[in-house]
Amino acid sequence: MSRKQITGIGPAPQTGVDDSGCPILHVDMDAFFASVELLDRPELRGRPVIVGSPAGRGVVLSATYEARSYGVHSAMPMSRARRMCPQATIIPPSHGKYSEVSKGVMEVFHAITPMVEPIASDEAFLDVGGARRRLGSPAVIASMIRAQVLERYGITCSVGVASSKFVAKLASKQCKPDGLLVVPEGEVVDFLHPLPVSALWGVGERTEQSLVRLGIRTVGDLARVPVPTLRRELGQAVGGHLAALAWGRDERPVTAHVPDKSIGNEETFAADIDDPEVIKRELLRLSERVASRMRKAGHVGRTVSVKLRRADFTTINRSRTLREPTDVAQEIYATACELFEAAGLERVRLRLVGVRMENLRPADSASRQLGLGDRETGWREAEQAMDQAIRRFGPDAVLPASLVRGRLDEMEA
DNA sequence: TCTGGGGTCCTTTCACCC
DNA sequence: TCTGGGGTGAAAGGACCC
């Protein structure tokens, strides 16, 4: 097989790898948050480091490969990670720092091609089909990106090069850390079929269990199952989708501008709460955050959705679609409170509440109409003034009175 | 072993209209 | 007048991703 894995930033990739049908790159930063932290703490290089909240109910956000060798992985409860690797240095996350590096890395991508689809702060798809004449073959461009990211930001990344998004994504995962893997167009099926089904995008714990019950363990096993059987067992869309992926069929293009579908914030309490006043105060805080983010992004939304998670981790969602779209926290909050009250959980211990706005559209396309009996409250203007004050004086400059009261209570307690 | 926070997408159910 | 079916949109739940 001519598939080649090239590890480390070396010269241009070896000859003999046919990347001619492989315009799609998936770039994935290695242990991103942990790598960024090591830039400030070089003395920790080569040692187990975990990024995550050191206290309370948190999960691992990122871990160095030294920590991973003890079994630590992201999304694992911190308490468990600490037990598995007690010698690890634990660093609380600094999201501002990560988004700054992320922005810089995305600029490196945009200098290569405008066809960049970010899928998280630490990874993106690139379609370099249009950059070949200017910069070279996809594998050459991939090497260039790896070298530039390392040079400018001091962190490594891995790149998968393939004919489709999902194969590129699997390729980058296979060559991690600090690698480059080209999967030639003609070798996609050979590459895919030995992999476990859980490697496929969209197969999580539940779907894997369903597949194992059917005796399906590898992608090759999956490929041999008749499509109607998969549709019956997994549902129309998921069954059809996985059947296509198992044969390497993935037509999704790299899309540079994916519009936001929803904006939300949620918070897990340090201890479960059953006081409706405290919960409503939290709903107000979250509504303020969501509305402010919507105004910053230039969105209004029509559907208010509230998420409530009980102490036993069961979760319920309640949503309501408004007559007119809004970006006003007071309107979002009023609806969120009604949904919370209607859910009948006012004396139930909750561990998390969330507020989300869906059905988004650009604010400038939405003309607000006053209905019969409505009155213009002036909340939008007040909140826009708050946005300005916050921009000038910081996030604590202005707060609704009830949140100030809540903060005073916390200080007195 | 006890589960964050930001999202997207899919499925099911139900109401409503024709 | 009653019944049924198809289409559509909203709501709720849940799987999955990073």
Side-chain angles (χ1 to χ4, degrees):
Chain A
M1 212 186 288
S2 61
R3 195 190 315 143
K4 294 258 163 64
Q5 180 168 340
I6 304 127
T7 297
I9 302 291
Q14 294 92 326
T15 51
V17 185
D18 176 16
D19 64 354
S20 59
C22 299
I24 311 295
L25 270 51
H26 178 255
V27 187
D28 199 340
M29 311 304 296
D30 301 321
F32 181 54
F33 295 176
S35 302
V36 172
E37 292 297 344
L38 290 186
L39 298 175
D40 293 341
R41 308 271 302 269
E43 74 279 8
L44 294 176
R45 270 184 203 289
R47 298 186 32 202
V49 172
I50 296 172
V51 178
S53 176
R57 311 158 132 171
V59 295
V60 174
L61 292 176
S62 180
T64 58
Y65 285 84
E66 290 78 10
R68 292 180 197 205
S69 68
Y70 290 87
V72 173
H73 58 82
S74 54
M76 170 184 279
M78 283 296 287
S79 52
R80 189 161 169 226
R82 270 197 302 266
R83 239 174 293 128
M84 290 180 102
C85 187
Q87 66 273 49
T89 302
I90 294 174
I91 302 180
S94 315
H95 292 283
K97 212 155 61 175
Y98 314 142
S99 68
E100 216 162 281
V101 177
S102 169
K103 231 165 83 184
V105 170
M106 296 293 166
E107 278 168 16
V108 170
F109 301 162
H110 277 107
I112 303 277
T113 172
M115 295 298 290
V116 177
E117 180 179 335
I119 42 177
S121 63
D122 65 336
E123 58 180 298
F125 287 112
L126 281 72
D127 184 337
V128 298
R132 274 186 238 219
R133 191 170 300 178
R134 191 165 44 95
L135 298 171
S137 77
V140 168
I141 295 175
S143 296
M144 197 184 290
I145 289 173
R146 283 168 28 78
Q148 285 184 13
V149 170
L150 182 63
E151 189 193 321
R152 291 197 198 173
Y153 298 101
I155 54 181
T156 63
C157 61
S158 302
V159 185
V161 183
S163 53
S164 66
K165 281 163 83 166
F166 115 94
V167 177
K169 175 135 173 78
L170 291 182
S172 71
K173 195 174 184 182
Q174 285 269 306
C175 66
K176 269 185 164 304
D178 195 16
L180 165 54
L181 178 63
V182 179
V183 181
E185 201 178 9
E187 295 180 22
V188 166
V189 169
D190 288 343
F191 170 71
L192 288 177
H193 283 195
L195 298 175
V197 276
S198 58
L200 293 182
W201 214 5
V203 177
E205 209 178 316
R206 292 305 180 96
T207 310
E208 187 184 7
Q209 281 170 9
S210 306
L211 290 171
V212 166
R213 269 201 303 276
L214 296 169
I216 300 166
R217 290 199 157 72
T218 65
V219 178
D221 295 339
L222 183 69
R224 286 185 286 274
V225 177
V227 181
T229 309
L230 289 178
R231 287 195 195 272
R232 196 178 55 236
E233 296 294 331
L234 306 172
Q236 281 296 314
V238 174
H241 182 60
L242 292 185
L245 293 187
W247 287 104
R249 287 194 297 268
D250 176 23
E251 306 290 318
R252 292 169 300 178
V254 172
T255 312
H257 299 288
V258 182
D260 291 335
K261 301 253 167 75
S262 70
I263 290 180
N265 284 88
E266 56 192 55
E267 187 136 321
T268 298
F269 300 117
D272 302 338
I273 302 280
D274 62 1
D275 179 347
E277 288 314 307
V278 176
I279 289 165
K280 285 182 184 171
R281 206 184 294 148
E282 191 58 32
L283 288 173
L284 174 59
R285 197 195 312 265
L286 294 167
S287 300
E288 295 277 349
R289 263 195 255 168
V290 170
S292 154
R293 287 175 60 200
M294 301 216 332
R295 290 191 297 268
K296 200 169 164 195
H299 293 313
V300 290
R302 258 190 84 203
T303 305
V304 181
S305 170
V306 167
K307 175 166 165 181
L308 306 163
R309 178 168 285 157
R310 300 186 189 92
D312 67 2
F313 222 72
T314 55
T315 306
I316 68 167
N317 291 290
R318 291 291 180 267
S319 60
R320 179 178 301 162
T321 299
L322 308 173
R323 215 153 33 89
E324 294 293 328
T326 186
D327 58 5
V328 176
Q330 286 298 325
E331 291 179 4
I332 299 170
Y333 170 62
T335 310
C337 278
E338 286 170 24
L339 290 167
F340 168 59
E341 283 163 5
L345 296 183
E346 279 175 293
R347 277 294 159 199
V348 173
R349 284 152 56 79
L350 297 179
R351 61 177 291 139
L352 170 146
V353 296
V355 173
R356 176 169 298 278
M357 286 300 286
E358 301 162 0
N359 245 321
L360 303 186
R361 64 189 71 173
D364 51 21
S365 76
S367 61
R368 275 174 64 83
Q369 291 180 344
L370 290 182
L372 276 176
D374 287 355
R375 70 197 166 88
E376 183 54 77
T377 56
W379 278 115
R380 163 177 285 107
E381 291 69 21
E383 291 180 13
Q384 281 169 343
M386 278 169 63
D387 291 343
Q388 272 185 7
I390 286 167
R391 269 198 295 275
R392 268 189 80 176
F393 304 112
D396 289 336
V398 193
L399 283 175
S402 63
L403 292 187
V404 175
R405 184 67 250 164
R407 201 161 287 191
L408 290 176
D409 290 347
E410 282 161 22
M411 286 163 72
E412 282 162 16

